[in-house]
Amino acid sequence: MPAPDAAARTDLFPPIDPYGTGFLRLDDRHAMYWEQSGNPRGVPVVFLHGGPGAGATPSHRRFFDPYHYRIVVFDQRGAGRSTPHGEIAANTTPILVDDIERLRVHLGIERWHVFGGSWGSTLALAYAQAHPARVRSLGLRGIFLGRPSEIDWFLYGIGHVFPEAWRNFAGFVPEAERGDLLDAYWRRLIDPDPAVHLPAARAWSAFEGSCSTLLPSPETVQAFSEDRMALGLARIEAHYFRNALFLPPDALLDGVAKIRGIPATIVQGRYDMVCPVVTADLLAKAWPEARYVVVPDAGHSAMEPGIRAQLVAAMERAKRLG
């Protein structure tokens, strides 16, 4: 069956179902959900979801031409369908990088395109810098490098643009604790009682969802507020934030020299408030070989029309790389 004309495509591909799914046992505690869709004999591409802890969704298969790509989607440790849900033990960036490599070997893939946004861009950069020979290209969106200034912006700075959402976020904890929102939320998120950790997770995740789109999107906020999504996202995100993403300072910027030869596209919303454009600009300056696209009428979400069009276009161009 011939592939549709891809040259004119500006939006997501139609929904598809996986042709294979499974769980990869990572250790005595963790099992990682994975799936494959598209063309079993196609060029491999792996999707790295955001958060950390958000998990993947069926829509994430749709950035890739299913006639051309063998599409690999998985849920990182503690996220989505991986078990145990919300688990932070043995959950660090170097371990997640090792998990990606283990999945590649498990699936018998020699090299693949690596595609990730937000935290997924962080993980994609970390993986590529650790295993450059395994990466055909990088598709990156909403750049997050995990610097203290970026974490502080998320916890406090967004309030300058989304004061209503931030008031709800900060107002969830007593006023005396608002000087350290990360610690205040952390203590609640790790409380074993669902009556304590679930409301905190919903408040954290709804805040992020409220700030993720250029225009208000009740559907996005609702999806972020669903209990399973909220707990994985909030607990694991707070865990990573408390530990500076388990990366040395400026490690990803310093590591650009290792990946200069890998074709890359950086897609960034001009009005991204979760991962502001200044970070993507910093990466682009350090990596002039990468294609850098700023979408003028978009926020953070990969589902913003301009963002998703540029991401699809990036993966259409990547077809020429094999």
Side-chain angles (χ1 to χ4, degrees):
M1 185 178 183
D5 179 12
R9 178 166 287 278
T10 60
D11 208 345
L12 301 179
F13 289 87
I16 53 171
D17 293 324
Y19 64 78
T21 66
F23 282 87
L24 179 61
R25 174 56 61 182
L26 300 173
D27 55 30
D28 291 342
R29 179 184 287 108
H30 290 277
M32 186 170 75
Y33 170 82
W34 60 266
E35 64 179 45
Q36 297 189 90
S37 57
N39 182 353
R41 295 182 176 83
V43 178
V45 58
V46 63
F47 179 93
L48 307 181
H49 67 68
T57 70
S59 63
H60 294 150
R61 307 166 192 149
R62 300 178 58 196
F63 289 100
F64 316 102
D65 182 350
Y67 295 92
H68 181 83
Y69 287 110
R70 175 184 174 186
I71 305 161
V72 179
V73 175
F74 72 98
D75 291 327
Q76 296 154 29
R77 290 181 179 227
R81 292 146 291 190
S82 293
T83 59
H85 184 69
E87 180 60 69
I88 56 174
N91 197 333
T92 70
T93 302
I95 289 174
L96 294 186
V97 167
D98 289 345
D99 290 347
I100 299 170
E101 185 64 0
R102 186 181 301 189
L103 180 61
R104 182 192 65 78
V105 173
H106 177 72
L107 297 177
I109 292 170
E110 183 68 21
R111 297 173 67 235
W112 50 8
H113 297 279
V114 178
F115 180 105
S118 193
W119 160 254
S121 75
T122 318
L123 192 54
L125 288 167
Y127 175 78
Q129 290 173 15
H131 302 281
R134 301 303 180 185
V135 180
R136 295 171 182 262
S137 78
L138 285 163
L140 308 172
R141 186 267 312 168
I143 303 302
F144 181 58
L145 299 177
R147 297 169 299 148
S149 60
E150 296 170 68
I151 296 171
D152 186 71
W153 170 264
F154 177 84
L155 294 168
Y156 295 98
I158 293 180
H160 293 290
V161 184
F162 287 95
E164 305 91 343
W166 188 83
R167 275 198 299 271
N168 291 334
F169 174 61
F172 178 80
V173 301
E175 186 172 1
E177 298 182 48
R178 294 174 196 166
D180 190 343
L181 287 172
L182 182 56
D183 182 69
Y185 268 93
W186 173 249
R187 286 185 285 104
R188 291 163 173 83
L189 290 168
I190 61 170
D191 192 292
D193 186 353
V196 176
H197 66 239
L198 277 178
R202 291 188 206 109
W204 177 295
S205 193
F207 168 62
E208 186 164 343
S210 297
C211 303
S212 289
T213 55
L214 180 63
L215 299 177
S217 172
E219 298 82 6
T220 300
V221 178
Q222 179 61 37
F224 272 67
S225 301
E226 188 272 326
D227 283 354
R228 189 169 181 84
M229 163 74 162
L231 181 60
L233 176 68
R235 181 183 286 168
I236 297 175
E237 205 161 75
H239 166 65
Y240 273 75
F241 285 4
R242 291 181 72 249
N243 291 282
L245 275 67
F246 300 94
L247 292 170
D250 293 320
L252 298 179
L253 280 176
D254 294 343
V256 166
K258 301 175 184 177
I259 57 174
R260 284 195 185 279
I262 298 175
T265 298
I266 300 167
V267 176
Q268 179 72 35
R270 171 66 69 190
Y271 300 105
D272 185 336
M273 290 298 114
V274 177
C275 298
V277 66
V278 64
T279 303
D281 189 70
L282 188 65
L283 178 62
K285 285 181 179 178
W287 194 2
E289 296 87 354
R291 181 190 291 259
Y292 180 39
V293 181
V294 177
V295 180
D297 55 350
H300 179 68
S301 172
M303 295 304 169
E304 301 263 30
I307 297 285
R308 66 188 191 223
Q310 289 296 334
L311 291 173
V312 169
M315 295 315 299
E316 291 296 282
R317 287 192 300 270
K319 289 178 180 179
R320 299 194 291 266
L321 302 172

